[in-house]
Amino acid sequence: MEAHLVLGNAGLRVESYGTGTQVRLPGRSAMEPRIFKFGTPYADMYRSMATNPDDAAFFTRNGVLQLCRRGAAVKVAPQRWQDTPNVGQHDIAIAFEERIFDAVIEDLQRREPSEDFKPIHVICLDTKDNPHEAQLQGQIALDLCWLLEAAADDLMTQAPEIVDAFEKERMTHTPIKVLYQLCYL
């Protein structure tokens, strides 16, 4: 969600999605995650985790209430990539975990091609799932997006080279695993 916020504040058109079967938030233990259906408003998630003082204190300490507040500031509810019919409107999809990258590619390969058979550049900036890393990767994603935006007229040819050069340059500052796949839809 951090990247969504950073990219949106920079004036880029952004949508964000999950790829799982449900929205899973940390619970009181690893075996007890808080589970919600995609489409459940962030405000409802927040309210369900702040129903009593003990829960409110716990979910404040573990950062989940802040995550819900941040999500609600960006959009009403989480959306699922695989349930979104118009993903072909996107030129670029950026994932922040390799498993998400794989799920997006798998979904694109399963979909019926559009009449345009349009390319979608799928990129993974593999990130540890914690607030500090998310903040760093939001800025890194913005840097990459500006490079890709500058090549928008010839993205088909230039995107692989831009992503490769970006990864090499980033490795000197902040080691990051970057994956790239060109898909068509």
Side-chain angles (χ1 to χ4, degrees), residues 141-169:
L142 181 60
D143 294 345
L144 177 58
C145 285
W146 285 134
L147 294 171
L148 294 166
E149 182 76 17
D153 292 338
D154 192 21
L155 203 53
M156 279 292 298
T157 306
Q158 293 187 25
E161 296 165 4
I162 290 169
V163 171
D164 187 50
F166 182 80
E167 179 180 25
K168 287 177 182 160
E169 188 272 329

Side-chain angles (χ1 to χ4, degrees), residues 67-83:
L67 182 128
C68 290
R69 277 194 299 272
R70 191 174 60 205
V74 171
K75 61 186 192 174
V76 173
Q79 299 163 273
R80 186 171 183 258
W81 172 270
Q82 295 92 328
D83 297 338

Side-chain angles (χ1 to χ4, degrees), residues 21-176:
T21 56
Q22 302 167 319
V23 177
R24 293 177 181 269
L25 298 175
R28 292 195 175 267
S29 75
M31 302 307 291
E32 299 177 283
R34 296 300 298 257
I35 298 172
F36 300 92
K37 291 180 180 179
F38 278 98
T40 302
Y42 285 108
D44 292 353
M45 292 180 197
Y46 183 99
R47 278 192 294 277
S48 79
M49 290 183 282
T51 55
N52 63 59
D54 285 345
D55 281 349
F58 176 80
F59 289 114
T60 297
R61 277 193 312 277
N62 78 355
V64 173
L65 291 182
Q66 174 58 23
L67 182 128
C68 290
R69 277 194 299 272
R70 191 174 60 205
V74 171
K75 61 186 192 174
V76 173
Q79 299 163 273
R80 186 171 183 258
W81 172 270
Q82 295 92 328
D83 297 338
T84 305
N86 57 348
V87 296
Q89 72 179 346
H90 302 294
D91 296 321
I92 299 168
I94 298 176
F96 292 91
E97 292 181 45
E98 190 170 349
R99 68 177 180 78
I100 306 278
F101 174 81
D102 291 340
V104 168
I105 290 171
E106 181 180 320
D107 176 68
L108 290 171
Q109 291 171 341
R110 288 183 176 177
R111 289 180 185 247
E112 287 294 319
S114 66
E115 289 180 20
D116 302 348
F117 203 60
K118 186 178 170 237
I120 299 177
H121 304 269
V122 184
I123 301 166
C124 179
L125 302 174
D126 203 25
T127 305
K128 290 180 182 171
D129 192 9
N130 66 54
H132 175 71
E133 289 295 319
Q135 193 171 26
L136 290 174
Q137 297 304 39
Q139 185 57 51
I140 289 171
L142 181 60
D143 294 345
L144 177 58
C145 285
W146 285 134
L147 294 171
L148 294 166
E149 182 76 17
D153 292 338
D154 192 21
L155 203 53
M156 279 292 298
T157 306
Q158 293 187 25
E161 296 165 4
I162 290 169
V163 171
D164 187 50
F166 182 80
E167 179 180 25
K168 287 177 182 160
E169 188 272 329
R170 290 306 315 169
M171 289 306 260
T172 62
H173 305 323
T174 315
I176 179 173

